[in-house]
Amino acid sequence: MGIKIDFNRCVGCGACEGACPFGAMNMEGGKAVADIDKCTLCGACVSACPVDAIEIERAAVKKDLSGYRGVWVFAEKRGRDFAGVTFELIGAAKELAGELGSKVSVIALGHDMEECTEELFAYGADEAYVVDRPEFADFSDEMYCDAAVQIIEKEKPEILLMGATAYGRSLAPRIASRLCTGLTADCTQLEIDNESGLLVQTRPAFGGNIMASIVCPNHRPQMATVRPKVLKIPTPDFAMKGKLIEPDVHIKGEPKVKIIEAIKKAQGANIADAGIIVAAGRGIGKADNIRHVKELADAVGGVVAASRPLVDSGWIDYSAQVGQTGKTVAPKVYFAIGISGAIQHTAGMSSADIIVAVNSDKEAPIFEIADYAIVGDAVEVTKELVKAFKGKVR
Ligand code: FAD
């Protein structure tokens, strides 16, 4: 690995010297010279060079990948139960394993899990590596990472899927870094490339304006996180049985972080679990108008959500934000009231079964994905919808 400067191309303009944040580029005799002791190979000089005279050579690390098999899921525990995303991931793993002709395995770390491990098999796991110990009762980055890495290093899975939850987002990068492998966060689609057999991990990039398909050809396992509700939960079959494995893991020393007390934040209804959502956008006009949205939510037995500008304005709590930087939801019915339909918003709700959009602009992008399009004023239409539904939805 190193930095290479083509002196025939270099015109001595000094752009690289100005761009280098580490003071590693200097001009000597009218040509760029790199100080390798200071250079971090960040690539700023490569981007800045107007004549493509600088190149960073990175040696491709070739590992023997032949022994890696199987699609694995990290099972996330919430109290005594597994989080729903665990089952969503097992469903996806089953499909991927079907294409690869391999098995679905799950890592479950926690305590008092005798009753719930059967669920892993019901949703499609062939085998479960279960570490059931009192010290694993609460989530711990350090201990969970230690245990997972030991199991993965021994069993060599080809693919490892985790939930893009607060826990998963903290744990997945630790595991990936310890295993020296790649990780694609917040995937919205996972598939196997027919030719290479690699996991194609698709996720929004550049503020959601493009979908990037990412592969991890040289390292294993291929790791991806997926947000809850992006994938469908498969139908469980409690007659299905799997193999329960209790691996021997050794945790060295005391964890640096100890949980003294867990206090549950008081919050309203969780939009991620709601069957009907009434979401307000900037078209609602002013904070006071949210009461009409609440009335509609009450009338249809739903919960209130919002687009990001309403959260940024402090009109609605962040826990109700739908979209790329909020929650992903998949309700039966989604009312989008005065929401334009920006990709960062639709990324979090487009898999709703029925979308009812209200917008004064008949060209609004939300209408492209709406099942019912109502062109009109957000407040006036919402009031009419309240009248239409009040007392009629049980
Ligand atoms: P606007 O885009 O302003 O649209 C308002 C709509 O209301 C328009 O279509 C307009 O025609 C309509 N309207 C106006 N007046 C009326 C009326 N009287 N009656 C009816 N309709 C009316 N956004 C999210 O929502 N969630 C996210 O998680 C998110 N993450 C983001 C992440 C990044 C990195 C970036 C760059 C942006 C993100 N955004 C997110 C912002 C997103 O790009 C949009 O700006 C946002 O979704 C727009 O919200 P809106 O539709 O409520 O407002």
Side-chain angles (χ1 to χ4, degrees):
M1 251 188 345
I3 187 160
K4 203 171 122 191
I5 299 167
D6 183 341
F7 293 121
N8 292 326
R9 285 189 172 188
C10 177
V11 290
C13 68
C16 55
E17 193 176 13
C20 177
F22 304 102
M25 298 301 289
N26 304 300
M27 304 310 295
E28 283 177 21
K31 300 284 177 190
V33 177
D35 179 342
I36 50 160
D37 291 333
K38 290 183 182 166
C39 178
T40 63
L41 301 178
C42 71
C45 55
V46 178
S47 312
C49 178
V51 291
D52 294 333
I54 310 173
E55 202 184 320
I56 289 178
E57 294 174 318
R58 298 185 197 275
V61 185
K62 277 276 170 209
K63 277 170 76 178
D64 177 15
L65 309 178
S66 56
Y68 289 82
R69 287 275 178 280
V71 184
W72 284 45
V73 170
F74 185 90
E76 184 169 321
K77 287 284 301 309
R78 283 291 152 105
R80 295 184 71 87
D81 303 314
F82 289 113
V85 70
T86 300
F87 307 125
E88 295 167 22
L89 293 173
I90 292 175
K94 193 88 191 154
E95 283 179 27
L96 299 172
E99 287 184 53
L100 293 168
S102 58
K103 283 189 290 194
V104 175
S105 308
V106 175
I107 301 179
L109 310 175
H111 188 43
D112 284 341
M113 290 192 289
E114 308 85 49
E115 283 168 26
C116 54
T117 42
E118 289 302 312
E119 272 188 298
L120 302 172
F121 304 130
Y123 282 93
D126 298 300
E127 50 187 31
Y129 288 77
V130 177
V131 183
D132 191 328
R133 293 188 194 167
E135 62 267 36
F136 285 109
D138 289 316
F139 175 79
S140 154
D141 294 290
E142 292 167 271
M143 290 203 303
Y144 276 35
C145 178
D146 266 0
V149 166
Q150 287 174 46
I151 299 168
I152 293 164
E153 279 180 335
K154 182 157 182 271
E155 303 300 333
K156 297 191 177 348
E158 191 173 7
I159 292 171
L160 174 64
L161 308 179
M162 299 177 69
T165 58
Y167 289 170
R169 284 180 174 152
S170 173
L171 185 60
R174 279 177 182 259
I175 295 178
S177 136
R178 286 270 294 274
L179 296 169
C180 290
T181 189
L183 165 68
T184 307
D186 283 12
C187 295
T188 52
Q189 202 184 331
L190 299 169
E191 56 197 350
I192 300 295
D193 178 63
N194 286 340
E195 273 177 34
S196 61
L198 289 172
L199 178 68
V200 181
Q201 306 156 63
T202 303
R203 58 151 296 152
F206 295 107
N209 290 314
I210 61 159
M211 297 304 280
S213 293
I214 298 164
V215 289
C216 176
N218 298 326
H219 298 269
R220 293 291 180 272
Q222 302 163 82
M223 283 184 65
T225 64
V226 184
R227 296 173 98 188
K229 300 277 176 187
V230 167
L231 306 165
K232 294 262 181 242
I233 292 191
T235 310
D237 175 357
F238 285 91
M240 294 295 286
K241 295 284 168 236
K243 189 173 166 194
L244 185 75
I245 300 151
E246 293 175 282
D248 197 16
V249 295
H250 301 278
I251 305 298
K252 290 185 218 107
E254 288 283 300
K256 291 186 201 77
V257 176
K258 276 193 184 154
I259 296 175
I260 297 161
E261 191 187 359
I263 302 164
K264 216 169 178 181
K265 186 185 166 195
Q267 58 180 29
N270 183 0
I271 59 166
D273 298 327
I276 300 178
I277 291 176
V278 184
R282 196 148 37 191
I284 201 76
K286 54 182 181 178
D288 184 49
N289 285 340
I290 290 170
R291 67 194 159 94
H292 302 295
V293 177
K294 286 187 176 145
E295 269 182 54
L296 178 57
D298 288 343
V300 296
V303 300
V304 173
S307 65
R308 179 159 139 177
L310 272 62
V311 174
D312 289 347
S313 308
W315 297 1
I316 286 191
D317 188 70
Y318 169 68
S319 60
Q321 182 181 317
V322 172
Q324 191 186 319
T325 42
K327 288 198 173 122
T328 303
V329 296
K332 289 203 175 344
V333 187
Y334 189 91
F335 289 88
I337 314 280
I339 292 176
S340 59
I343 186 152
Q344 294 88 355
H345 184 82
T346 57
M349 48 65 74
S350 56
S351 51
D353 290 347
I354 297 171
I355 298 170
V356 183
V358 180
N359 201 299
S360 55
D361 175 7
K362 66 176 177 26
E363 306 291 339
I366 191 77
F367 288 145
E368 287 166 27
I369 58 163
D371 300 283
Y372 296 92
I374 306 172
V375 180
D377 178 70
V379 173
E380 294 312 315
V381 175
T382 304
K383 284 185 194 166
E384 289 303 316
L385 290 172
V386 172
K387 275 191 224 160
F389 286 114
K390 205 164 188 173
K392 299 199 179 102
V393 179
R394 273 190 279 156

